[in-house]
Amino acid sequence: MIPRFGGIDPAAAAANTVNARDLHVFLGVKSEFRNWIKNRVDDFGFVENQDFTTAVEKYRGGERKDYFVSLDMAKELFMVERNEKGKQARQYFVESEHRLRTSPSYLAVGAPFRPLARLQLSFALF
């Protein structure tokens, strides 16, 4: 189940979320951030305060809206991006799942697969 962020201070939720702007930069998406995130939310049916939370901050004399996405949403965004970084992410997740599912400890206890909980989206792994 995806954690719900409603009523929680965004700073407290940050430990279990990823800033979508960082994800956008890492993935090397060519479209503008605000268009990319809006399209992804619309296309894949992500729900605010369930899959992500937002915060508005002062920026260069105006305001900008930041999105903090759950680890599950971040994984999905990685998997659907159609570029080289997206492909690397897909390969990473497939390989991680394969390694886990063939490990003796997993076979012994049938542990659930949660690579992002351990990874915490350390972009350096790619």
Side-chain angles (χ1 to χ4, degrees):
M1 184 162 181
I2 297 172
R4 295 183 182 265
F5 304 115
I8 296 176
D9 176 42
N16 293 316
T17 63
V18 175
N19 187 317
R21 287 184 187 278
D22 295 339
L23 191 63
H24 179 262
V25 169
F26 174 77
L27 285 169
V29 177
K30 293 183 178 165
S31 62
E32 230 178 77
F33 172 76
R34 64 182 174 187
N35 296 328
W36 174 77
I37 193 67
K38 181 185 179 313
N39 290 336
R40 290 294 186 248
V41 167
D42 293 345
D43 291 349
F44 296 98
F46 295 119
V47 178
E48 187 166 7
N49 294 322
Q50 179 177 322
D51 300 308
F52 66 95
T53 188
T54 60
V56 177
E57 69 173 341
K58 299 287 183 197
Y59 184 74
R60 294 184 180 175
E63 292 182 339
R64 80 174 187 184
K65 189 175 190 178
D66 283 319
Y67 290 73
F68 299 93
V69 302
S70 70
L71 297 179
D72 288 337
M73 181 175 169
K75 181 179 176 183
E76 192 166 346
L77 292 173
F78 267 120
M79 304 270 302
V80 301
E81 200 57 44
R82 295 180 184 162
N83 64 18
E84 187 57 33
K85 289 288 190 174
K87 181 178 180 179
Q88 290 173 6
R90 288 187 294 280
Q91 290 171 336
Y92 170 79
F93 290 123
V94 168
E95 178 60 28
S96 294
E97 183 174 6
H98 175 72
R99 281 194 317 263
L100 179 70
R101 292 192 187 279
T102 58
S103 73
S105 60
Y106 177 83
L107 296 172
V109 296
F113 177 62
R114 296 189 62 213
L116 284 183
R118 289 185 306 277
L119 177 62
Q120 292 296 314
L121 286 177
S122 174
F123 300 138
L125 289 176
F126 293 101

